[in-house]
Amino acid sequence: MNEQSMQELVRQAISPARFCHVEGVVQTADELARRFGVDPDQARQAAWAHDYAREWPVDRWYEVAKERGVDEQFFAVAELLHGHIAAAMLPELFGIDNEDVANAVRYHTSGRVGMSALEKVVCLADYIEPGRTFPAVEDLRKLAEQDLDLALASAFDNTIRFLLDRQKPIFPLTVLARNHLWKEIADRRKL
Ligand code: DGI
Ligand code: FE
Ligand code: FE
């Protein structure tokens, strides 16, 4: 499917405000991909698809995630399911059958240990696209000009801090992803 058709399908699935967010993620993912040696076409595909199921009612997330065999651990935080659902629907919705693109969509909210460069680009783009306005975002955009791992590790720290401050559950995989990235950064600095 061409990008124009993909864009129209996504437009029909979400609100205008969310569509604007998705456009920002596509643009940012494209820029980050070029900067860090990732295929920009794959980054754009994952970015277009990443929030396809974002506005479904919670009941539908649970229902479809069950149908699609999404791993049970992700049912603990309902907001994590929309990426897994969109990833599972990529072939039928958009004719996309690429595991790396699917993983970038699947893990865009939580991250995971051992993320590919494409997964990192999409996850970070979701966090720093031009529509995001939280206080730390300017610092994260600066980091993202230099270092993908450092920017993403800092973004995870920011998410965890945000959730802590609001007495929200913290999904363990995000903590593992964060620990893993900071360890990689520390190891790199020792070399
Ligand atoms: O879909 P978006 O709004 O663009 O952003 P997202 O997919 O990164 O996050 C979706 C929601 O999930 C957002 O409101 C923050 C929330 N979230 C992300 N990680 C966790 C989380 N909520 C909880 N309780 N725990 C998490 O670890
Ligand atoms: Fe999302
Ligand atoms: Fe998003």
Side-chain angles (χ1 to χ4, degrees), residues 40-55:
D41 293 328
Q42 291 191 344
R44 294 178 72 90
Q45 286 186 340
W48 278 122
H50 85 284
D51 276 342
Y52 182 85
R54 181 68 172 87
E55 295 179 354

Side-chain angles (χ1 to χ4, degrees), residues 18 21-22 25 50-51 54 82 108 126 132:
R18 180 93 46 197
H21 157 70
V22 171
V25 178
H50 85 284
D51 276 342
R54 181 68 172 87
H82 69 282
H108 81 264
D126 189 29
R132 299 290 196 196

Side-chain angles (χ1 to χ4, degrees), residues 4 22-23 29 43 48 62 132 135 156 165 180 184-185 190:
Q4 186 69 33
V22 171
E23 286 183 307
W48 278 122
Y62 283 126
R132 299 290 196 196
F156 283 144
D165 289 344
H180 183 81
E184 278 189 343
I185 293 163
K190 278 181 216 142

